Amino acid sequence: MAEIRAEEETSTISKTFLIKPKLKSKPRTLPQTPESKYWSSFKSTQIPNLVSSISSLSFSPSPPHSFAAAYSASVSLFSPLSLSDGDVSPSSTISSFSDVVSSLSFRSDGLLLAASDLSGLIQVFDVKTRTPLRRLRSHTRPVRFVKYPVFDKLHLLSGGDDAVVKFWDVAGENVVLDLMGHKDYVRCADCSPVSSDLFVTGSYDHTVKVWDVRVENSRSVLEVNHGKPVEDVIYLPSGGLIATAGGNSVKIWDLIGGGKMVHSMESHNKTVTSICVGRTRKEICGDKSMEDRILSVGLDGYMKVFDYGNMKVTHSMRFPAPLMSVSFSPDCKTRVIGTSNGIIFAGRRKGKENVESGGRGNVLGFESISEPERRILRPTYFRYFHRGQSEKPVEGDFLVMRNKKIKLAEHDKLLKKFRHKEALVSVLNKNNRENVVAVMEELVTRKKLLKCVSNLDTDELGLLLMFLSKNATMPRYSSLLMGLTKKVIETRAEDIRGSDALKGQIRNLKRSIEEELRIQHSLQEIQGIISPLLRIAGRR
């Protein structure tokens, strides 16, 4: 009976501990949506060496939709057709400015270009000859924006740090209207796409005002409060909505509804510097149509695409520098982004079909013969199982992602090999205080820091003393570095006495410590003065 019970117990144990099957790994990246694929299809080309921050970008309304970039005291014009060939050189450059160019605007026919600078001057140029045709000067402070109305070729809009918005007669070089209502710098404006008499301005006083040149008393007809200094404002294509950018948010306002806020998008981590309207392709019931989007860029280096119809961010793209300006071409084929370090990221899209022209049809009176569409691969087809590595995944495919190797820094590799002294010297040469302190803390944990210090030669010891003289008094690191400084002086006193260079480092270290002590004594004196006053205020 005991043998039978033992057999039963062993059988129950073997049934309890079953081997679990290995679970399939989940894909690390989410499948791309059709809209993400559309925005990723813009082939990015860098236009470098433009000296300084790209303050403004503007596309010509007439084909082939050249774009102008304002940087430093110059304006460069680029052809988007050359971007496909990899040519990043400007087609022409205008340098007749005495100060930094702040804003650009093409006239509706693309023949004239207006540019403003921080000296308060506005100039109107002939795009082909680059000759200045008009010089408009009335602002007493730097001009921050200049704008041509959509349907008006004779007038111009401007505003700046004098908090005045001016409506110009370009031909007569005189001001038609002085619009005063803002209480701080006027930074941006946009003209209505449905009326040549309406425009909107944004200011650092947190307000956005809608103006009508037909109003006799020159007062704004509508005002909304963004809540932060306004960096940019645009009309949406319908003409009844505007979008404002300020702080880390982009807000949409309904002008027809009396200035009611429709939505606030707060997906940026830093200040939003520029916004514009872009267009994306959407397939509805087999027909491809275009839908409008808001493109926003900010100091966090991100470009966001916002679908204001569904009130959600549909695409995001990261750039390696703070972004200052963005613009989108009228033919929906070119997107340009200007950065703070003088680089333009120009994206040119190569579509398989021409949206506006309708492809190659109707040549010499004959309609083009479309190629038969290839059948979609399905698991029931034999060809489905002979796909190669070049086959692009589609929705529903299971993607097996390789784990990315972690790239270790040089000091991390040396620490893994227990080469402690070489790791310390390597990180000292990089001059990154956070990494240096991290390596020192790791060596303290391994009880090897003092041994590394005792093995340093004269040059390496000089590197260590230089680092300590610069960072030992910083409150964040003083608990570790002050103790290390004391040990270094005690253990390497003889080497320090024998080297003039090391003596100089010790003198620098002594000066920085004396300066820190002087600051602490001053703070204690201030605390002694303030403490009685705080007690008296507390009794009251």
Side-chain angles (χ1 to χ4, degrees):
M1 292 293 291
E3 293 178 358
I4 294 171
R5 286 176 183 174
E7 290 177 359
E8 290 177 354
E9 289 177 0
T10 55
S11 63
T12 55
I13 292 172
S14 62
K15 291 179 181 179
T16 304
F17 297 96
L18 296 176
I19 299 174
K20 293 184 178 180
K22 292 184 179 180
L23 299 176
K24 294 181 180 179
S25 60
K26 296 181 179 180
R28 296 180 64 181
T29 57
L30 296 174
Q32 277 192 325
T33 61
E35 185 157 340
S36 295
K37 292 179 181 178
Y38 174 81
W39 293 110
S40 300
S41 66
F42 285 83
K43 184 181 178 182
S44 184
T45 303
Q46 289 191 27
I47 304 176
N49 305 324
L50 295 184
V51 183
S52 65
S53 174
I54 312 300
S55 56
S56 180
L57 292 165
S58 180
F59 274 95
S60 172
S62 60
H65 303 294
S66 301
F67 65 92
Y71 59 93
S72 185
S74 302
V75 174
S76 291
L77 283 84
F78 298 86
S79 173
L81 302 178
S82 63
L83 298 176
S84 304
D85 304 327
D87 183 12
V88 296
S89 58
S91 57
S92 60
T93 301
I94 304 172
S95 302
S96 57
F97 298 94
S98 60
D99 209 331
V100 177
V101 184
S102 58
S103 180
L104 301 170
S105 179
F106 279 95
R107 200 170 71 171
S108 58
D109 56 4
L111 298 179
L112 299 183
L113 174 67
S116 62
D117 60 34
L118 299 187
S119 68
L121 177 66
I122 303 169
Q123 299 185 68
V124 179
F125 297 91
D126 186 342
V127 174
K128 291 184 179 180
T129 61
R130 293 173 292 164
T131 55
L133 304 178
R134 294 290 185 273
R135 294 169 62 89
L136 312 177
R137 184 179 288 277
S138 177
H139 287 279
T140 59
R141 300 287 296 276
V143 180
R144 296 295 179 176
F145 75 85
V146 62
K147 201 77 177 177
Y148 264 110
V150 179
F151 303 107
D152 190 352
K153 298 180 181 180
L154 303 177
H155 296 93
L156 196 64
L157 189 69
S158 68
D161 290 355
D162 54 3
V164 180
V165 180
K166 294 181 181 292
F167 192 65
W168 296 84
D169 176 12
V170 179
E173 298 187 29
N174 58 347
V175 179
V176 179
L177 289 173
D178 278 329
L179 305 175
M180 300 181 183
H182 288 291
K183 300 177 182 179
D184 207 336
Y185 302 157
V186 186
R187 301 289 293 192
C188 53
D190 195 21
C191 298
S192 172
V194 295
S195 173
S196 59
D197 300 319
L198 294 173
F199 55 89
V200 62
T201 58
S203 170
Y204 272 11
D205 61 3
H206 301 188
T207 62
V208 176
K209 294 179 181 290
V210 181
W211 307 87
D212 190 340
V213 296
R214 296 167 293 186
V215 177
E216 295 181 356
N217 55 8
S218 300
R219 296 180 61 184
S220 61
V221 296
L222 184 65
E223 178 181 329
V224 297
N225 193 322
H226 182 84
K228 292 287 179 67
V230 182
E231 298 288 346
D232 202 1
V233 59
I234 57 171
Y235 266 99
L236 298 182
S238 63
L241 299 174
I242 62 170
T244 60
N248 65 341
S249 64
V250 176
K251 297 182 180 181
I252 300 175
W253 308 85
D254 184 5
L255 300 183
I256 299 176
K260 178 182 177 182
M261 188 178 72
V262 178
H263 187 75
S264 176
M265 178 190 70
E266 299 178 356
S267 61
H268 285 275
N269 298 321
K270 294 184 179 179
T271 302
V272 183
T273 53
S274 181
I275 54 177
C276 73
V277 175
R279 308 192 77 191
T280 182
R281 191 186 314 283
K282 188 114 178 176
E283 187 169 349
I284 303 174
C285 300
D287 296 331
K288 291 182 179 179
S289 60
M290 303 300 289
E291 289 191 357
D292 297 313
R293 299 287 186 263
I294 297 176
L295 307 184
S296 62
V297 296
L299 297 180
D300 55 0
Y302 278 94
M303 181 200 77
K304 305 281 185 177
V305 180
F306 182 65
D307 179 3
Y308 61 89
N310 297 317
M311 302 302 174
K312 65 178 181 179
V313 176
T314 57
H315 186 67
S316 178
M317 188 176 293
R318 180 80 163 90
F319 292 88
L323 308 180
M324 305 302 296
S325 50
V326 63
S327 189
F328 197 75
S329 65
D331 61 357
C332 308
K333 292 183 179 179
T334 311
R335 173 208 19 91
V336 288
I337 296 174
T339 66
S340 62
N341 57 1
I343 297 176
I344 297 177
F345 291 93
R348 179 73 176 167
R349 186 172 184 271
K350 290 184 177 181
K352 293 183 179 179
E353 66 280 341
N354 297 326
V355 180
E356 269 72 25
S357 62
R360 296 172 296 176
N362 203 15
V363 179
L364 299 176
F366 296 97
E367 293 289 339
S368 62
I369 301 174
S370 59
E371 296 181 359
E373 295 184 359
R374 199 173 184 183
R375 290 190 301 174
I376 301 174
L377 286 179
R378 296 179 180 176
T380 55
Y381 298 160
F382 179 76
R383 188 161 50 89
Y384 177 86
F385 297 97
H386 286 267
R387 296 175 298 167
Q389 291 184 349
S390 60
E391 188 75 19
K392 293 183 179 180
V394 296
E395 188 176 357
D397 286 349
F398 184 81
L399 302 180
V400 179
M401 308 297 295
R402 292 183 179 179
N403 294 326
K404 293 184 178 179
K405 293 183 179 180
I406 300 174
K407 293 183 179 180
L408 297 177
E410 184 180 356
H411 58 268
D412 288 326
K413 294 178 182 177
L414 294 171
L415 285 174
K416 288 187 70 175
K417 297 177 181 179
F418 299 96
R419 294 159 65 178
H420 301 125
K421 175 194 165 184
E422 296 176 17
L424 180 60
V425 174
S426 173
V427 76
L428 284 172
N429 285 320
K430 299 296 183 182
N431 199 19
N432 187 322
R433 67 168 66 95
E434 286 82 4
N435 291 344
V436 174
V437 174
V439 170
M440 288 180 176
E441 290 176 346
E442 177 65 22
L443 293 177
V444 169
T445 305
R446 299 187 185 189
K447 299 179 180 180
K448 297 292 182 181
L449 181 57
L450 294 180
K451 186 177 180 181
C452 292
V453 171
S454 62
N455 292 333
L456 295 175
D457 58 25
T458 305
D459 295 336
E460 296 167 348
L461 183 60
L463 281 175
L464 178 60
L465 289 175
M466 184 186 298
F467 174 79
L468 293 175
S469 65
K470 292 180 179 179
N471 304 284
T473 57
M474 293 184 66
R476 184 177 176 183
Y477 311 117
S478 59
S479 59
L480 171 65
L481 298 184
M482 290 303 295
L484 177 61
T485 304
K486 183 179 179 182
K487 292 293 183 181
V488 170
I489 295 173
E490 290 176 356
T491 56
R492 304 299 297 269
E494 295 181 1
D495 297 325
I496 294 171
R497 292 192 192 98
S499 173
D500 294 336
L502 297 180
K503 287 180 183 178
Q505 296 295 342
I506 292 296
R507 284 194 293 270
N508 294 337
L509 179 62
K510 184 179 178 181
R511 278 196 293 268
S512 63
I513 293 175
E514 289 175 350
E515 179 66 19
E516 182 64 23
L517 290 173
R518 188 187 63 78
I519 293 172
Q520 293 297 330
H521 287 314
S522 301
L523 291 175
Q524 288 179 356
E525 291 176 1
I526 294 171
Q527 185 180 7
I529 296 170
I530 294 176
S531 296
L533 298 176
L534 293 176
R535 292 195 191 98
I536 294 171
R539 290 173 186 172
R540 290 180 182 178

